[in-house]
Amino acid sequence: STLLNQPNHGGRWRYCIIDSFECKIASNNTNIQKSRNTTIMTSTRPFHMNDLFRFNNVNLDILTETFNMPFYLQYMSRWPELFTVAEAPDNSIMGYMLGKSEGSDSLWHGHVSAVTVAPLYRRLGLAKTLMEDLESTSSNVYNAYFVDLFVRSSNTLAISMYEKFGYIRYRRVLGYYSGDDAEDALDMRKALPRDKHKQSEIPLDKPVLPEDLEW
């Protein structure tokens, strides 16, 4: 192995593995262990305006929804701390998190609008890293009670992943997804430290309609 010194570019370097190649990132963000002459690094940073023209490798995935440009601009201007990207050393986007804060009183929460990782960079724990970043910001910056997200009821892989991250199936929303691929959604939640008794995780026993949603 060869130990290299790298400057800190303002991101947070992570442990990462691709196939049989490994790189171990030191906690002080300055040392990188290189093996088999291949170094794979990941940093997280805020989403920039120019990234809108650079994330096709992520959004071309069939399960990733693409929104119009004003939608992304709204998130960048209102919730910049919750709109982050995971970036490779060559500046390519490996994945991103699109989130916001909303609600009131005990329903004040962080919301995951989208979290996605490019196919080339999956199974590295990037989704977990992006989710943990949003959860930390929702708790420490916005002082939210919980984080929630909606997922297609047929997307068993995503549901299983979120459950591993500590999310519970809070309720079913009938007909949440419309169009040619209409189906129900699962509203999944994870309580944050402010919700000491995890009241936000008590599941409902009946499904709801989209018009019944609070936010």
Side-chain angles (χ1 to χ4, degrees):
S1 299
T2 303
L3 193 64
L4 305 176
N5 290 322
Q6 290 285 338
N8 181 2
H9 297 290
R12 295 182 288 275
W13 298 112
R14 303 289 183 182
Y15 289 87
C16 41
I17 300 174
I18 291 184
D19 296 330
S20 60
F21 300 109
E22 300 183 5
C23 61
K24 185 177 181 181
I25 313 307
S27 59
N28 62 4
N29 289 339
T30 58
N31 296 323
I32 300 172
Q33 181 177 326
K34 184 178 180 182
S35 68
R36 299 197 186 184
N37 297 319
T38 300
T39 301
I40 309 297
M41 298 175 293
T42 306
S43 63
T44 55
R45 62 164 176 79
F47 195 96
H48 299 157
M49 185 84 69
N50 288 341
D51 293 330
L52 291 171
F53 306 101
R54 300 176 53 242
F55 66 176
N56 281 348
N57 65 311
V58 181
N59 276 29
L60 287 177
D61 178 70
I62 191 172
L63 294 177
T64 299
E65 186 171 359
T66 299
F67 303 96
N68 56 41
M69 191 168 292
F71 184 88
Y72 296 109
L73 296 177
Q74 178 189 30
Y75 276 74
M76 275 191 282
S77 62
R78 294 189 61 183
W79 306 283
E81 304 91 346
L82 299 176
F83 197 177
T84 56
V85 299
E87 189 175 62
D90 63 358
N91 297 323
S92 63
I93 295 178
M94 306 168 78
Y96 65 87
M97 163 64 72
L98 184 67
K100 62 181 178 179
S101 60
E102 61 185 0
S104 63
D105 301 323
S106 62
L107 292 180
W108 176 245
H109 65 282
H111 177 71
V112 179
S113 298
V115 57
T116 185
V117 175
L120 178 62
Y121 300 110
R122 289 176 184 166
R123 300 184 181 277
L124 304 180
L126 291 181
K128 188 174 189 293
T129 295
L130 292 167
M131 291 290 290
E132 289 177 344
D133 188 67
L134 180 136
E135 291 163 10
S136 175
T137 302
S138 296
S139 179
N140 298 327
V141 176
Y142 291 98
N143 197 26
Y145 284 90
F146 61 92
V147 170
D148 81 338
L149 57 90
F150 294 98
V151 59
R152 288 181 178 272
S153 59
S154 63
N155 194 345
T156 56
L157 287 177
I159 293 169
S160 176
M161 179 186 72
Y162 293 131
E163 289 178 332
K164 290 179 181 178
F165 295 166
Y167 287 77
I168 62 97
R169 306 184 191 198
Y170 176 69
R171 59 185 170 181
R172 178 180 288 266
V173 185
L174 302 176
Y176 180 82
Y177 295 100
S178 58
D180 295 336
D181 298 323
E183 67 175 294
D184 299 345
L186 293 183
D187 178 0
M188 303 187 72
R189 294 187 176 187
K190 181 178 182 178
L192 297 177
R194 188 179 182 185
D195 183 8
K196 296 179 181 179
H197 302 293
K198 298 185 181 296
Q199 294 295 313
S200 60
E201 291 190 358
I202 301 176
L204 300 186
D205 56 2
K206 294 182 180 180
V208 299
L209 297 172
E211 55 264 31
D212 297 326
L213 296 175
E214 299 86 354
W215 311 102

